[in-house]
Amino acid sequence: PVTLDTRQMPEEHTVNARLREVRSSLVMHLHTTLSTSPRYIVLAALHHARHRGRPPTLASLLQMPAFALLGCVCRRALAKLVLSEHLYAVQSMRERGMPRSWRVCRFCQRRQDVEDEEHVLFRCKAPALQELRLRMIARMSTRAANAEGLFLTMRDRPWAYVDFLGDRPELLGMFADLVLATYSLCADTPAVSISSEDALRDLAPLY
């Protein structure tokens, strides 16, 4: 909060000082909202990977060296990923008020496997998604040595991996193609409908 003494007419320097405080307060509020909101998990993770110890800004992420060199379709796909404006159940089911544990992956349909960004892009063992990842790695292998080893090594730190790609436009574009392909799969595959804890327990257990 920014306080202003209304008992007397403020002088110009006082008004200017308060305006600076208001701007600072708004920036801090936005920073806190983006950093703590469950919706913007990818945004917060990428900020942590790329800007440790510095206040995050969306512009700084979308101005990664490789991002500006991508085509419009790829840039849009990555922007939707960062802003959680996609069809993954973690977001689409959130808008319907469904508990997070009920937003089960439509591809593997495994109990407790929430269909979020990290699961779909890096972890899900459904054949369709595994095939997309293998195709991406095969393409990357033509441009970078040990692309498969790098992906497997950094799979437990997926957003650090994406940050690594952020300086390599030829590789980031291939990752963007993977993201686009998962969007298409989501559009063509109905989401899992869970209506009770009993229905959730009826699903297959974890791998």
Side-chain angles (χ1 to χ4, degrees):
V2 176
T3 60
L4 178 65
D5 188 351
T6 59
R7 292 173 297 182
Q8 56 185 357
M9 182 66 69
E11 298 181 4
E12 182 178 357
H13 69 87
T14 302
V15 173
N16 290 335
R18 294 299 176 268
L19 287 174
R20 287 193 295 271
E21 290 178 14
V22 168
R23 284 193 291 269
S24 177
S25 179
L26 289 173
V27 169
M28 183 57 66
H29 174 70
L30 180 60
H31 177 193
T32 301
T33 299
L34 293 177
S35 300
T36 60
S37 171
R39 176 187 174 105
Y40 300 112
I41 292 176
V42 175
L43 178 61
L46 282 174
H47 279 314
H48 178 73
R50 180 158 283 250
H51 302 289
R52 293 181 183 89
R54 285 186 283 168
T57 65
L58 178 60
S60 66
L61 279 181
L62 300 186
Q63 289 172 0
M64 291 189 296
F67 186 85
L69 300 177
L70 298 178
C72 179
V73 173
C74 289
R75 291 201 307 271
R76 187 179 297 116
L78 293 177
K80 286 184 176 182
L81 178 69
V82 169
L83 295 174
S84 298
E85 292 291 341
H86 47 61
L87 296 178
Y88 302 157
V90 70
Q91 178 55 32
S92 62
M93 296 299 186
R94 184 202 315 279
E95 295 171 356
R96 303 180 196 176
M98 184 173 289
R100 179 180 173 84
S101 62
W102 291 11
R103 303 171 206 168
V104 174
C105 177
R106 74 191 75 194
F107 304 110
C108 64
Q109 299 190 18
R110 295 279 173 171
R111 188 188 318 146
Q112 297 178 353
D113 268 346
V114 174
E115 187 183 291
D116 61 12
E117 300 87 351
E118 187 171 322
H119 176 78
V120 172
L121 295 171
F122 296 94
R123 303 192 188 286
C124 184
K125 296 182 180 179
L129 292 175
Q130 287 187 315
E131 175 61 28
L132 289 177
R133 287 187 215 108
L134 289 174
R135 194 183 307 166
M136 177 191 73
I137 291 170
R139 291 178 62 201
M140 286 183 172
S141 296
T142 66
R143 299 294 187 91
N146 197 29
E148 181 176 6
L150 178 65
F151 179 84
L152 295 176
T153 299
M154 300 189 72
R155 187 165 52 184
D156 291 333
R157 296 181 295 125
W159 306 119
Y161 175 76
V162 175
D163 179 60
F164 169 80
L165 299 180
D167 296 318
R168 296 158 180 82
E170 70 283 3
L171 302 183
L172 186 64
M174 296 174 190
F175 177 75
D177 288 339
L178 168 68
V179 173
L180 272 171
T182 65
Y183 293 168
S184 296
L185 281 180
C186 285
D188 294 338
T189 308
V192 175
S193 179
I194 301 294
S195 57
S196 67
E197 288 295 324
D198 288 339
L200 184 64
R201 283 191 291 269
D202 287 341
L203 294 177
L206 293 174
Y207 291 101

